């Protein structure tokens, strides 16, 4: 019997805004004007660079970031350095915009839940199933959950930067199971990364994968979780 479910954050419960929306919000906030063509071109370059956390991976990791990129989720400092390093591959009108872009992605406004996320978490709560969020991340995502009304449905948050280890390291999943008082053999891990989230299987957790798609293209990807829990 499943008594606990662990969820990944980005690409599983929530989806980050588009790169173009991200860029527009920061330019508007800074009072910087670019032509429509410049905005589209710059957003495309940022996407290729992989500069938006939670967005597309970089097409190519620059040599100077090669050592940093694999361990970026182990601390807040590493995470910021990695993503602003990618952003700085793209020229912007003001160098300060690179940090502003990073800051924007940490705001609740930059994230939207998948359509079925709230109903699924609510159903798990009604069934008495404990819920944890296990994320490779470099910042505190709790305000995102509070802003969108998800926080009362989450029993524990286990974030890589707070533990100094990142998925697929079994220690992060162990910490999550311990926080929920759940045995790994009675726990289900739900995520979008076979590499990172699949690490829970080493502890004996069941694992279910979802596709990391735009929210409109994945309206009910989480609903199978309810059948798996039983």
């Amino acid at each position: 019997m499943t008594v606990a479910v662990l969820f990944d954050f980005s690409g599983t419960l929530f989806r980050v805004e588009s790169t173009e929306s991200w860029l527009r919000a920061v330019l508007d906030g800074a009072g910087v004007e670019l032509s429509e063509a410049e905005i589209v071109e710059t957003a495309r370059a940022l996407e290729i660079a992989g500069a938006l956390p939670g967005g597309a991976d970089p097409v190519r990791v620059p040599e100077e970031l090669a050592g940093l990129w694999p361990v970026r989720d182990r601390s807040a400092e590493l995470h910021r350095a990695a993503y602003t390093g990618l952003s700085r591959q793209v020229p912007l009108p003001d160098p300060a915009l690179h940090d502003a872009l990073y800051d924007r992605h940490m705001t609740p406004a930059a994230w939207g839940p998948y359509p079925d996320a709230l109903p699924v978490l609510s159903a798990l709560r009604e069934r008495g199933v404990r819920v944890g969020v296990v994320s490779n991340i470099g910042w505190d995502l709790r305000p995102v959950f509070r802003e969108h009304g998800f926080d009362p449905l989450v029993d524990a948050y286990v974030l890589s930067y707070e533990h100094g280890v990142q998925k697929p390291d079994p220690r992060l999943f162990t910490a999550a199971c311990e926080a929920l008082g759940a045995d790994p053999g009675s726990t289900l891990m739900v995520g979008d990364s076979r590499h990172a989230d699949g690490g829970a299987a080493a502890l004996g957790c069941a694992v279910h994968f979802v596709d990391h798609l735009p929210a409109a293209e994945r309206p009910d990807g989480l609903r199978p979780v309810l059948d798996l829990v039983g």
Side-chain angles (χ1 to χ4, degrees):
M1 177 180 178
T2 300
V3 300
V5 180
L6 307 176
F7 288 94
D8 175 50
F9 167 56
S10 175
T12 300
L13 291 176
F14 282 82
R15 171 82 178 194
V16 74
E17 65 187 330
S18 70
T19 309
E20 189 172 314
S21 171
W22 176 56
L23 175 61
R24 287 181 187 276
V26 170
L27 293 175
D28 289 346
V32 176
E33 294 186 7
L34 294 178
S35 70
E36 188 64 21
E38 287 173 323
I39 291 174
V40 172
E41 181 181 353
T42 303
R44 177 61 180 155
L46 288 166
E47 187 160 338
I48 291 172
L52 173 58
D57 286 336
V59 171
R60 182 187 67 83
V61 176
E63 185 176 347
E64 65 269 24
L65 297 177
L68 176 60
W69 182 250
V71 298
R72 63 193 180 279
D73 295 311
R74 292 184 185 175
S75 75
E77 294 76 17
L78 293 173
H79 195 267
R80 178 182 284 271
Y83 282 101
T84 56
L86 292 174
S87 175
R88 289 189 175 93
Q89 306 300 308
V90 180
L92 295 177
D94 181 347
L97 291 173
H98 295 290
D99 277 310
L101 283 169
Y102 184 85
D103 291 341
R104 162 72 187 182
H105 104 275
M106 295 189 289
T107 66
W111 297 87
Y114 281 91
D116 57 345
L118 190 59
V120 167
L121 291 185
S122 297
L124 292 174
R125 177 52 53 104
E126 291 173 2
R127 297 182 188 186
V129 176
R130 294 189 288 280
V131 169
V133 172
V134 185
S135 178
N136 280 352
I137 198 165
W139 50 277
D140 186 4
L141 51 71
R142 294 172 183 86
V144 175
F145 281 74
R146 287 196 293 268
E147 180 70 20
H148 290 279
F150 281 61
D151 188 58
L153 303 173
V154 177
D155 298 293
Y157 297 92
V158 179
L159 312 181
S160 61
Y161 84 102
E162 293 180 336
H163 291 262
V165 295
Q166 60 191 52
K167 298 180 289 187
D169 193 314
R171 288 177 291 176
L172 208 62
F173 302 108
T174 297
C177 290
E178 289 176 350
L180 295 176
D183 183 271
S186 302
T187 300
L188 172 67
M189 175 68 209
V190 182
D192 66 296
S193 171
R194 280 164 172 73
H195 171 68
D197 300 311
L203 292 183
C205 298
V207 182
H208 176 69
F209 297 109
V210 296
D211 295 322
H212 189 156
L213 295 170
E217 297 176 23
R218 209 197 76 193
D220 54 7
L222 291 168
R223 292 194 182 275
V225 170
L226 300 179
D227 295 328
L228 292 170
V229 169

